[in-house]
Amino acid sequence: MIDLKLLRKQPEIFYESLKKRNQTTEIIDQIIALDKEWRSYLNQVNNLKSKRNELSKNVARLKAEGKSEQADELITQSKTVGDEIADLEAKQNELEAQMLSLALYVPNTPHESVPIGKDETENVEIRRWGEPRKFDFEPKPHWDLGTDLGMLDFDKGSKLSGSRFTVMFGQIAKLERSIAQFMLDVHTSNGYTEVNVPHLVKRETITATGQLPKFSEELYTCERDDLFLIPTAEVSLAALHIGDVLDEDMLPLKYTAFTPCYRREAGSYGKDVRGLIRQHQFEKVELVWYAKPDNSFDALEQLTHDAEKILQLLGLPYRVITLCTGDIGFAAAKTYDIEVWLPSYNGYKEISSCSNDTDFQARRGNIRYRAKDGKMNYVHTLNGSGLAIGRTLVAIMENYQNPDGSITVPEVLRPYMKTEVIK
RNA sequence: GGAGAGAUGGCCGAGUGGUCGAAGGCGCUUGCCUGCUAAGCAAGUGUGGAGGUAACUCCACCGAGGGUUCGAAUCCCUCUCUCUCCGCCA
C-alpha cells in the first residue's frame, strides 16, 4: 500500500515510479481526483458531526434540568443534521472505498539504486561465485537421473494429482528432507528464529502481504472456508506481526520457516515443463526480516548473503543479479535474484529471490515500531528464499552426478544423509 | 459438532442510552521531597484522520462489520477470536 499523504504532497514520485516500472500512470490521476473529492466530503461530514455532538450535549443537559420541551426542539434539529450526515457520509464512504481499492493496485516505489529497464532482459548481473563443472562425460538432466535411479516418479505424480506434481522415493526423498534441515541449521546458527507456520491463511492475511487482490490467479483456495494455501512462507512470516507495535530494541527480527509452497502457475504453460523446476507444490526455506527503515537496504545485502551462503557451503556455482525497474515484483522496492548453475539448462536458473518491500507490506498490515523518541513508524519487511529446496535438489543432482548415474552427496549434507553416494 | 460465558486504554478492571476517550488501581514519564533505595506528594501518560506555519481545533475509535436512536462502550443482528463443559479425533 502506498503512502497517501506522500501522494498528496509529492505525486511526482508515483508517476516516476510507474514510468520506471514501465506501467501506465492513469491510476495515479484517478486516485488523486478521488482523494480530493473524498476530503471535501470528509470535512463537511466532520463539521456536521461536530454540530450534532453539540446538540446532543445540550439535549442531555436540558433533559437533566427537566426542560423537555426545549430538548425536543433540539432533537428535531439534530434529526435534520443526522439526515444530512447520512447522505454525505454515504457518498464519502463510497469515494473512500474506490480510492482504497485503486491504491491497493499501485506497486511499491523502486529504490534509487535499482537499474532502470523495461523487462527481464535488462536485469544486471552483479557477481558470480564458483566455476561451472566441466564434465568429461555427457551429463544427464535431473529428470533422467532421478527416473533411472527409480527415485523420481513423474508418472505417479501425474496419476495422483495431475501435471507438475512429482513423487520422490528413497534417497532422493531423504535428500529433500536433508537439504531442508541443513538450511534451517545454517540459518538458525546465523541468528534466525525458526518458525513453524500455518500453510492455510485467511483472506485478510494474504491481502496484507500483497498477494491479494492482484494475484488471486496464482493461489489455491479453499472456498468453503475462505482460506488460501500459501504460495510462500513469506505470507505467514510477514503476517506474524500484523497490527503489532514492536519495540525499536527488538529490531531487526529475523525469522526462517520451512514450508511447502502451493502455486497454480497460471500463465506458465509450456515453461519448464520437464522435471522438478516448476511444480504446483514445492518446499522452501524462507527468510524474513523486520527491519528499521534507516538500514533496511543494508539488511537486504545481509539477507542475500545469508541465502548465498547455502550455495557456497553446498559448492554450487551461482550468480546474483539485480532486477531492473521493469522486472521487480509488485511489493518490492529492490530485488536480488540468486541463480544457480544447472547443466541441463546450460545456464543459471533462479533459486532465490531476495527483496526489500520497505513499508509496503507494513502499511497494509499496520506493522509499526515505537522509536526511542516515542514516535510510531512503519517497519520495513524483507524476504528471501534461503533457498527453494526442489531447485536445490535439482542443482545437487545435476552438478554432483557421476558417469554411472550415481550422485555424490555434498560434504555438508553427509551428516544428514549418512551416506556419500546416492545410487 | 452441541451447550454456555466472554472480548473495554501498556496491564488489571468499573461502566446497560445522554456533558464517557471512558471511574479506580497498577505500570510508565517528569517535578518535589529524601544520605542512597523505598515510601510519599503533584502533574502528565492511547491510536488514526482532516484542517492550520504553529499554538491548536474538529472527527473517529471500548474485538470487526452492519442496524435501532436526536444521541450507542451500553440495545439488536452478523462475523472473528478466547475460555468452560459435552461429544469426536491424529
Side-chain angles (χ1 to χ4, degrees):
Chain A
M1 176 79 162
I2 55 166
D3 182 352
L4 290 171
K5 280 190 199 163
L6 188 61
L7 177 66
R8 278 171 207 140
K9 268 188 273 177
Q10 297 176 270
E12 64 278 4
I13 291 175
F14 296 92
Y15 287 112
E16 190 64 18
S17 159
L18 286 175
K19 276 181 201 151
K20 279 186 180 176
R21 281 176 174 268
N22 210 20
Q23 294 177 18
T24 56
T25 57
E26 294 90 64
I27 190 168
I28 302 298
D29 299 325
Q30 290 166 14
I31 293 171
I32 290 173
L34 284 166
D35 178 59
K36 201 172 168 191
E37 210 186 340
W38 171 74
R39 275 186 296 158
S40 92
Y41 276 95
L42 176 70
N43 281 325
Q44 292 178 61
V45 168
N46 276 352
N47 289 335
L48 287 171
K49 280 185 174 172
S50 175
K51 193 170 164 188
R52 185 177 64 184
N53 287 342
E54 192 60 36
L55 287 168
S56 279
K57 277 184 192 172
N58 288 330
V59 169
R61 189 165 39 76
L62 289 170
K63 286 212 167 179
E65 290 169 6
K67 301 175 181 168
S68 61
E69 313 84 54
Q70 292 176 48
D72 287 345
E73 202 173 303
L74 292 189
I75 285 173
T76 314
Q77 281 183 42
S78 186
K79 207 167 193 171
T80 315
V81 175
D83 291 344
E84 214 174 330
I85 290 173
D87 280 358
L88 292 174
E89 201 167 33
K91 183 68 182 164
Q92 181 209 333
N93 288 339
E94 193 187 314
L95 288 165
E96 187 171 19
Q98 280 177 32
M99 180 172 75
L100 290 179
S101 66
L102 279 181
L104 286 178
Y105 282 86
V106 179
N108 200 353
T109 304
H111 188 248
E112 58 194 16
S113 66
V114 174
I116 312 286
K118 64 176 191 315
D119 56 33
E120 71 275 6
T121 60
E122 299 188 52
N123 293 339
V124 177
E125 178 177 321
I126 52 177
R127 60 180 168 267
R128 282 185 189 215
W129 185 94
E131 274 297 314
R133 175 180 165 192
K134 303 262 187 308
F135 290 92
D136 48 18
F137 59 95
E138 186 60 36
K140 290 193 212 166
H142 69 278
W143 51 86
D144 286 342
L145 280 167
T147 307
D148 293 348
L149 283 164
M151 298 179 188
L152 279 185
D153 197 324
F154 299 100
D155 295 338
K156 283 196 164 55
S158 306
K159 184 169 97 179
L160 266 58
S161 306
S163 67
R164 297 199 191 281
F165 288 93
T166 306
V167 177
M168 301 180 192
F169 290 97
Q171 295 281 73
I172 293 294
K174 185 174 182 182
L175 182 58
E176 173 105 356
R177 170 164 61 91
S178 300
I179 291 167
Q181 206 162 334
F182 163 68
M183 288 178 182
L184 286 170
D185 285 348
V186 171
H187 294 314
T188 51
S189 72
N190 206 5
Y192 288 83
T193 302
E194 184 172 346
V195 191
N196 193 304
V197 293
H199 305 167
L200 284 163
V201 296
K202 294 192 281 193
R203 178 180 295 277
E204 62 189 85
T205 304
I206 202 160
T207 302
T209 55
Q211 276 76 17
L212 279 179
K214 201 169 175 184
F215 302 106
S216 56
E217 284 299 299
E218 261 308 279
L219 299 176
Y220 285 103
T221 66
C222 303
E223 285 180 19
R224 186 165 166 179
D225 301 294
D226 204 28
L227 289 172
F228 298 79
L229 279 159
I230 54 171
T232 160
E234 173 204 339
V235 172
S236 300
L237 289 176
L240 279 179
H241 291 293
I242 282 179
D244 286 356
V245 178
L246 306 166
D247 282 333
E248 180 169 357
D249 294 340
M250 298 164 71
L251 302 176
L253 287 169
K254 297 158 70 175
Y255 293 121
T256 184
F258 162 60
T259 66
C261 303
Y262 303 93
R263 300 187 182 179
R264 296 187 64 239
E265 295 297 340
S268 63
Y269 314 108
K271 246 193 233 173
D272 308 310
V273 284
R274 300 207 70 181
L276 291 172
I277 291 298
R278 192 173 297 273
Q279 299 277 290
H280 287 310
Q281 172 191 320
F282 62 96
E283 294 183 334
K284 183 156 64 66
V285 168
E286 182 74 1
L287 306 173
V288 163
W289 286 47
Y290 294 76
K292 286 197 275 183
D294 55 10
N295 61 15
S296 66
F297 284 92
D298 295 335
L300 177 62
E301 300 299 321
Q302 186 60 55
L303 185 151
T304 307
H305 280 108
D306 292 342
E308 284 174 60
K309 189 173 177 191
I310 300 291
L311 289 172
Q312 292 172 9
L313 290 170
L314 289 170
L316 293 169
Y318 67 88
R319 64 174 189 172
V320 178
I321 60 173
T322 302
L323 300 193
C324 73
T325 51
D327 198 33
I328 52 175
F330 180 69
K334 183 170 187 176
T335 298
Y336 292 119
D337 273 4
I338 303 173
E339 299 181 332
V340 69
W341 177 262
L342 287 189
S344 63
Y345 276 68
N346 193 34
Y348 290 94
K349 185 73 186 171
E350 179 186 339
I351 196 165
S352 172
S353 187
C354 304
S355 301
N356 183 357
D357 290 346
T358 60
D359 60 0
F360 192 79
Q361 285 178 331
R363 210 173 275 288
R364 288 183 178 225
N366 199 25
I367 306 170
R368 295 171 296 173
Y369 73 98
R370 193 180 291 283
K372 291 250 165 55
D373 62 11
K375 287 215 180 79
M376 292 274 231
N377 295 307
Y378 288 108
V379 302
H380 281 192
T381 57
L382 298 92
N383 66 82
S385 342
L387 308 158
I389 292 167
R391 290 187 182 182
T392 304
L393 181 100
V394 166
I396 290 169
M397 289 175 72
E398 294 193 359
N399 283 290
Y400 280 90
Q401 64 180 291
N402 301 312
D404 63 356
S406 67
I407 294 154
T408 302
V409 175
E411 202 89 42
V412 293
L413 292 181
R414 289 179 196 168
Y416 301 92
M417 288 295 291
K418 313 249 191 314
T419 181
E420 289 179 22
V421 183
I422 295 170
K423 60 185 183 214

